Amino acid sequence: MERIAVYPGSFDPVTNGHIDIIERGLNLFDKIIVAILYNPAKKSMFSVEERKKMLKESLANFDNVEVDSFSGLLVDYARMRNAKAILRGMRAVSDFEYEFQLALMNRRLDKKIQTVFLITGLRWIFISSSIIKDAAKFGGNIDGLVPETVKLHLHKKFRQEAE
Ligand code: PNS
């Protein structure tokens, strides 16, 4: 049986930290479904379509990775996709409390689906989508922290905003 994991998130936008988790996850799973949460209540910089495009371009060289979006409960989506695991990345202790809550709630909602945490490479321990957006907004150098396509999209977005 194929071991499938769902890697859910906002990915607004994808960073090299996310890519690192996917790469590590591929050592454990036959297939990873990167699932962007469609959440109209949450203000995001990029539309789901833009986020999907950036993810697809960044993951073009990876086999066995699919990019999709979902709304509603994550466990329902995972079940629908035949995934037995939810993959999440962990950076620092500050991530722990939220991740712990999320994992336990998901387990309560479906005890057959396990959450698997992977630790990002040390190089990515300090980056997040929000910190990247902040740095890019004020002209900070984000080279090497996000895939090239994301860098271009961010620059385009801030140029548009400035016009
Ligand atoms: O990248 P993020 O924003 O930390 O990802 C959070 C995400 C998408 C994993 C989480 O908000 C989620 O799964 N939302 C869908 C609704 C759900 O199932 N919530 C958990 C149980 S109430």
Side-chain angles (χ1 to χ4, degrees):
M1 205 175 64
E2 220 187 3
R3 288 165 307 169
I4 304 172
V6 170
Y7 179 41
S10 306
F11 303 105
D12 186 40
V14 58
T15 69
N16 282 353
H18 295 127
I19 307 286
D20 179 68
I21 293 293
I22 295 167
E23 217 170 341
R24 289 172 197 276
L26 284 171
N27 291 311
L28 300 176
F29 299 103
D30 299 315
K31 178 177 174 173
I32 294 180
I33 302 168
V34 182
I36 307 164
L37 173 67
Y38 174 70
N39 181 4
K42 192 172 165 186
K43 203 177 163 330
S44 51
M45 170 172 278
F46 294 101
S47 69
V48 168
E49 281 319 307
E50 286 173 316
R51 286 181 261 165
K52 207 182 253 186
K53 186 169 183 283
M54 285 185 275
L55 272 161
K56 279 188 178 165
E57 285 173 8
S58 312
L59 295 164
N61 295 330
F62 287 75
D63 291 328
N64 310 322
V65 178
E66 184 189 321
V67 182
D68 194 14
S69 54
F70 75 104
S71 54
L73 278 183
L74 174 59
V75 288
D76 290 342
Y77 176 76
R79 210 181 302 118
M80 195 257 292
R81 298 303 313 266
N82 278 323
K84 297 279 181 291
I86 292 166
L87 176 62
R88 290 288 285 174
M90 192 87 87
R91 284 164 306 192
V93 183
S94 49
D95 283 342
F96 183 78
E97 205 166 305
Y98 172 64
E99 293 300 332
F100 190 61
Q101 242 184 339
L102 193 67
L104 289 179
M105 189 62 194
N106 283 332
R107 185 197 280 172
R108 192 191 159 94
L109 293 170
D110 190 329
K111 62 179 186 311
K112 291 198 185 124
I113 299 175
Q114 303 299 332
T115 300
V116 174
F117 293 106
L118 291 179
I119 312 247
T120 45
L122 282 177
R123 286 194 292 168
W124 319 118
I125 224 101
F126 68 98
I127 60 164
S128 64
S129 300
S130 340
I131 214 107
I132 294 288
K133 280 183 283 193
D134 246 13
K137 186 173 178 176
F138 299 110
N141 186 351
I142 52 164
D143 283 356
L145 300 178
V146 289
E148 203 53 30
T149 172
V150 173
K151 201 176 112 183
L152 298 175
H153 273 83
L154 277 167
H155 287 160
K156 196 168 138 204
K157 194 63 102 186
F158 289 123
R159 247 196 337 267
Q160 277 168 0
E161 275 181 16
E163 279 164 9

